[in-house]
Amino acid sequence: MSEIKAVISESIKRIDAMGKVTGETRYPGDINIDGQLWMRVKFSERAHARVLRVDKREAEALPGVVRVFTSRDVPINEYGLVIRDQPVLCGPGGEKAGTDVVRCYMDMVATVVAESDDIARQALDFIQVEYQDLPAVFDPDDAMADTAPQLHPDCPGNLVTRYRIRKGDMSAGWAAADVVVEGEYETTWQEHAYLQPEAGLSYIDEEERVTVIVAGQWTHEDQEQICHALNLPADAVRVIYPAIGGAFGGREDMSVQIVLALSTWMLRRPIKIQWNREESILYHHKRHPIKVRAKWGATKSGLITAIYSEVIGDAGAYNYTSNKVLGNAQLTAGGPYETPNIHIDTYAVYTNNIPSGAFRGFGAPQALFAAEGQMNRLAAALGMDPLEIRMLNTIREGSLGSVDTPFPKGVTMPQVFAACGRESWWRETDAGWSLQRPQQPADATKRRGRGLAGGFKNVGFSFGFPEHCWAGIELRGSAEIESVILFHAAAEVGQGAHTALMQMAADAVGVQFDQVRLVASDTATSGSAGSASASRLTFMSGNAIRGAADIALQKWHDEERPATGEFMYRPPPTTAFDPLTGKADPNFAYGYVAEAVEVEVDLETGQARLLEVVCANDVGKVINPQQLEGQIEGAVAQAQGYALMEYLVSKEGRILNPYLSTYLIPTSLDVPPKVKSVILEHPDPIGPWGARGMAEMPFLPLAPAIAAAIFDATGVWVDSQPFTAEKVVKALRRQGIGAI
């Protein structure tokens, strides 16, 4: 056998690169079948109302219309990733109470299936819907009031969930504090803005399965939700993911999957749907707006003695993943620091706004915006260096978390903070860490500042969810292994996962990369891989692939040809928060990150310009260096948009700027001139090859680091994201800074 070239830690070119660059790769919107019909959706025209009647007669009489589907056509009219609290189609006639109520503008009331897209779109105007308006509520604080309208049965106070942490003695913590800082921090919605709007194609395959080709993040979960709503067994439904034009959490929940499957199952015809950008922004979930009220105390030497936070998240009209996102926010609301006394109350609240759900970072960016804001305030109040105070308080190996249990082994937050400091503008002396001041511009209307923030986040599903990942390996050849087939359901959402999976399979078997072939993202060929989320795919899939490879290799050595191995990896179990104290073992692994930034602020306009970012990540083990750096740079650009420019305007539940001309995201001209990726490799004890997930981590601390840099430049705190020019200039003027 020829010498095997190393495949782990090599920048192997992505297997999908050529097709995507040339345009040959087909996304759901590019796929067609002869004789296909077209679908359009009639969305809600109210923020909160009872649907009294849906009259489809005039629409169905329109030439070319094949069928209009309403709530009466859905066998089990409910769905939801965690809680089945949303109707597939809202309207009268359902067995479950509340399915006749629309709770936001993204609710679906009917679907039209027609011979062409134009006819389907035209028919929407002929569907007559009679509503009975109901009281609505759009602010989470208002929604928790006793007098607020109740949006869901059995949810008093409109609470999706409430969590609490009670650790230590808060009275003793405040008594020991020489300085106390308080702050109120607000974040708003963020649009995923992935390149490919929602689209899909459904048909009946050769085995009589209703088959849905769509972009998602977990094929088997899509399959399960379709099966439930249609009341079908799993072997009657097939889900296939072709190329996926981005996700970032925005495809975790359903969009077109169930209504496509329903229509094809009943009509026995192929059906296609494709949303435009306006529909995409209006009708899929967003990042959670979260408000944090915080109070932290510390000794004069900088040691944190007490942390109090109240965290309130706007779930919108349905849960989606709000109970999990707010659980993660609770876990990170104290930042990456150890303190003996901590008191946190966290609420996920139903409103009549657009539903909030998964988005890169999953609650940690919002919570860390507050936590790191508090840490920077403490440093300023004490006259301490912001890195020095962090090194004093950071979690480390053996630390007890806010949930009063030790972090899993492999805590490297001190190493990450130190690396970030060394690789940016800090110097370490016998007296400790000190920040080097930036050179100021010659233009007196501009000021430069530097800021720092850090954080941590889970790798894998949390709080007792039965985490799992399946992989299958088939070895072919005679005397030697000539080819390897890897079967895996992992979603390739643009992050390069499929290439990394093949690298890990090649290394696990001991062959060249080009000897591996991947069969992926089809419920008919693979067991469940879990979701492309929670920074979990490399970690979970790598362990599953190694397990399957070991089994297949043993069979190969036993002269079995071809040799096959299947393995379901299950990591150590986790536990939910104790309802009274919050005590838990919430996660089996974490990723750690710190970022330093330099910002220039225009004192006349309030425009803040991000000049440089240094991002330090402990990734455990690099699988593909080029892809890893791409994840860091992409996350920084996305977090820059979140911090400085992306502002989704919603008034009484209706999004007012559903266009990329009015909802502004960073372009190539906006991203910082320099992003320095600092890669640390401290192996995770249970990660494959020591690897940790890292895709979300570089997003987490950028907003608070930029806020700290704005303060460093101007002496003004901005505690509401995004830091638009208008918001910054108002803060400057309140402090008497800038033009009169």
Side-chain angles (χ1 to χ4, degrees):
M1 179 180 291
S2 60
E3 183 179 351
I4 302 300
K5 183 180 178 181
V7 288
I8 295 294
S9 297
E10 293 297 314
S11 292
I12 291 175
K13 184 172 67 177
R14 287 177 52 153
I15 61 171
D16 56 352
M18 187 61 69
K20 289 181 175 178
V21 169
T22 61
E24 294 177 1
T25 297
R26 296 202 302 169
Y27 295 82
D30 301 318
I31 301 171
N32 297 286
I33 295 179
D34 289 341
Q36 70 192 20
L37 302 173
W38 289 81
M39 173 185 286
R40 284 288 164 184
V41 177
K42 179 78 169 179
F43 291 98
S44 167
E45 297 163 331
R46 302 287 192 278
H48 194 205
R50 191 172 305 282
V51 181
L52 301 178
R53 183 175 61 92
V54 180
D55 189 341
K56 61 180 183 175
R57 292 172 295 179
E58 196 174 347
E60 287 190 326
L62 191 69
V65 171
V66 177
R67 179 79 179 268
V68 176
F69 291 92
T70 68
S71 59
R72 298 181 189 276
D73 298 307
V74 187
I76 301 177
N77 195 12
E78 62 178 15
Y79 74 99
L81 191 62
V82 181
I83 301 171
R84 291 177 179 139
D85 59 352
Q86 185 168 6
V88 177
L89 295 172
C90 298
E95 294 182 4
K96 182 179 179 180
T99 58
D100 60 340
V101 174
V102 294
R103 297 173 178 86
C104 63
Y105 286 104
M106 72 166 286
D107 272 321
M108 298 182 184
V109 176
T111 61
V112 175
V113 178
E115 296 290 346
S116 74
D117 189 33
D118 286 342
I119 294 172
R121 186 183 294 275
Q122 182 183 356
L124 295 177
D125 294 332
F126 290 87
I127 300 172
Q128 303 300 314
V129 183
E130 183 180 347
Y131 295 98
Q132 178 188 30
D133 287 326
L134 299 172
V137 62
F138 305 104
D139 181 271
D141 283 306
D142 295 341
M144 289 190 287
D146 293 339
T147 55
Q150 186 166 319
L151 306 189
H152 289 269
D154 305 319
C155 289
N158 289 307
L159 287 179
V160 179
T161 192
R162 175 185 177 178
Y163 300 117
R164 46 189 278 156
I165 285 176
R166 300 292 186 270
K167 175 187 174 185
D169 183 341
M170 294 300 291
S171 297
W174 299 128
D178 296 306
V179 62
V180 173
V181 298
E182 298 187 57
E184 184 168 306
Y185 303 84
E186 290 190 67
T187 67
T188 188
W189 296 278
Q190 186 183 19
E191 158 64 25
H192 298 82
Y194 29 64
L195 288 176
Q196 173 218 328
E198 289 73 4
L201 177 72
S202 56
Y203 61 94
I204 303 296
D205 75 358
E206 65 280 357
E207 295 188 26
E208 290 298 304
R209 293 173 292 203
V210 58
T211 301
V212 180
I213 299 177
V214 71
Q217 293 181 233
W218 185 352
T219 54
H220 287 78
E221 177 61 31
D222 287 3
Q223 178 192 45
E224 192 280 330
Q225 295 216 50
I226 292 168
C227 288
H228 177 77
L230 272 58
N231 198 23
L232 293 174
D235 59 8
V237 175
R238 180 183 183 185
V239 176
I240 301 171
Y241 290 170
I244 299 168
F248 314 115
R251 302 189 199 273
E252 276 203 15
D253 296 277
M254 297 295 96
S255 58
V256 300
Q257 290 93 321
I258 297 175
V259 290
L260 274 175
L262 171 69
S263 303
T264 283
W265 183 250
M266 297 187 75
L267 295 176
R268 317 303 287 181
R269 295 277 301 276
I271 300 170
K272 182 172 181 176
I273 188 172
Q274 183 165 352
W275 291 0
N276 58 32
R277 179 61 62 182
E278 179 185 3
E279 289 171 319
S280 180
I281 294 177
L282 288 173
Y283 303 129
H284 77 244
H285 72 263
K286 309 293 179 245
R287 185 185 295 280
H288 286 77
I290 291 179
K291 180 184 293 184
V292 181
R293 301 180 179 103
K295 178 181 176 182
W296 290 32
T299 64
K300 64 181 68 176
S301 65
L303 192 67
I304 299 172
T305 61
I307 291 176
Y308 163 81
S309 284
E310 181 184 56
V311 182
I312 300 173
D314 186 347
Y318 301 102
N319 177 66
Y320 283 59
T321 51
S322 290
N323 57 341
K324 304 297 184 181
V325 170
L326 269 296
N328 205 39
Q330 159 144 310
L331 198 62
T332 51
Y337 309 111
E338 185 172 17
T339 185
N341 309 300
I342 187 164
H343 176 138
I344 300 176
D345 285 305
T346 300
Y347 307 86
V349 188
Y350 284 124
T351 69
N352 292 113
N353 292 316
I354 185 86
S356 303
F359 200 141
R360 194 178 204 163
F362 209 74
Q366 300 96 311
L368 287 168
F369 176 49
E372 291 297 81
Q374 286 293 99
M375 199 56 159
N376 285 319
R377 271 180 161 78
L378 279 177
L382 291 165
M384 287 187 69
D385 181 87
L387 179 54
E388 181 69 19
I389 194 172
R390 284 172 166 83
M391 295 299 289
L392 178 65
N393 290 282
T394 182
I395 54 173
R396 55 193 77 240
E397 196 72 31
S399 286
L400 287 181
S402 61
V403 291
D404 209 23
T405 56
F407 278 79
K409 290 186 182 300
V411 180
T412 56
M413 200 71 239
Q415 295 94 316
V416 170
F417 271 135
C420 185
R422 281 193 300 268
E423 296 292 333
S424 58
W425 306 286
W426 271 263
R427 298 293 176 265
E428 187 177 15
T429 66
D430 292 340
W433 293 90
S434 63
L435 173 62
Q436 308 304 296
R437 310 308 310 170
Q439 183 175 350
Q440 294 300 324
D443 185 345
T445 66
K446 294 180 173 60
R447 292 286 184 273
R448 291 186 178 183
R450 290 167 173 168
L452 174 75
F456 68 99
K457 187 190 171 295
N458 57 298
V459 174
F461 299 143
S462 310
F463 311 126
F465 186 90
E467 175 68 291
H468 66 277
C469 186
W470 180 95
I473 294 276
E474 183 176 311
L475 309 180
R476 294 183 177 182
S478 52
E480 294 184 351
I481 298 172
E482 297 170 6
S483 65
V484 177
I485 303 175
L486 170 62
F487 297 90
H488 209 283
E492 170 60 80
V493 296
Q495 79 279 46
H498 285 177
T499 305
L501 299 187
M502 291 172 63
Q503 288 181 255
M504 292 188 288
D507 190 273
V509 174
V511 299
Q512 306 281 8
F513 179 80
D514 59 10
Q515 291 177 262
V516 179
R517 180 167 69 89
L518 176 64
V519 178
S521 304
D522 185 341
T523 57
T525 60
S526 300
S528 175
S531 178
S533 62
S535 300
R536 63 180 292 283
L537 267 188
T538 297
F539 186 103
M540 296 295 296
S541 300
N543 279 317
I545 287 167
R546 293 186 77 163
D550 288 345
I551 294 169
L553 286 169
Q554 183 59 56
K555 291 181 179 180
W556 181 269
H557 293 315
D558 293 339
E559 303 296 325
E560 187 174 320
R561 305 287 190 278
T564 61
E566 297 182 17
F567 186 76
M568 181 70 84
Y569 173 67
R570 301 184 189 277
T574 60
T575 62
F577 294 118
D578 180 277
L580 296 180
T581 66
K583 189 169 184 175
D585 288 304
N587 293 293
F588 53 82
Y590 289 95
Y592 303 97
V593 62
E595 285 175 335
V597 304
E598 183 170 315
V599 167
E600 183 176 274
V601 181
D602 188 316
L603 302 181
E604 291 188 340
T605 67
Q607 189 75 39
R609 189 162 65 97
L610 184 59
L611 302 177
E612 186 171 348
V613 177
V614 177
C615 182
N617 286 264
D618 180 11
V619 304
K621 176 69 174 179
V622 178
I623 303 299
N624 187 307
Q626 185 180 60
Q627 290 185 181
L628 190 148
E629 289 188 14
Q631 287 282 11
I632 292 173
E633 292 166 6
V636 165
Q638 196 172 50
Q640 175 192 4
Y642 180 64
L644 291 174
M645 58 195 304
E646 296 184 38
Y647 181 42
L648 193 77
V649 181
S650 180
K651 183 177 181 181
E652 295 186 343
R654 187 184 293 277
I655 294 170
L656 302 184
N657 57 333
Y659 312 100
L660 293 182
S661 59
T662 51
Y663 180 86
L664 304 180
I665 63 175
T667 70
S668 60
L669 299 179
D670 298 305
V671 295
K674 184 176 181 181
V675 176
K676 185 177 183 180
S677 300
V678 180
I679 310 301
L680 286 75
E681 294 185 277
H682 298 280
D684 185 277
I686 61 172
W689 295 271
R692 310 171 187 264
M694 58 69 58
E696 295 171 279
M697 312 315 165
F699 191 106
L700 307 183
L702 193 71
I706 292 174
I710 292 172
F711 173 78
D712 187 52
T714 67
V716 171
W717 293 110
V718 185
D719 296 329
S720 172
Q721 161 281 329
F723 320 136
T724 60
E726 180 183 18
K727 194 177 294 182
V728 173
V729 82
K730 286 182 178 178
L732 292 171
R733 298 300 179 267
R734 284 195 295 268
Q735 297 297 319
I737 299 172
I740 298 175

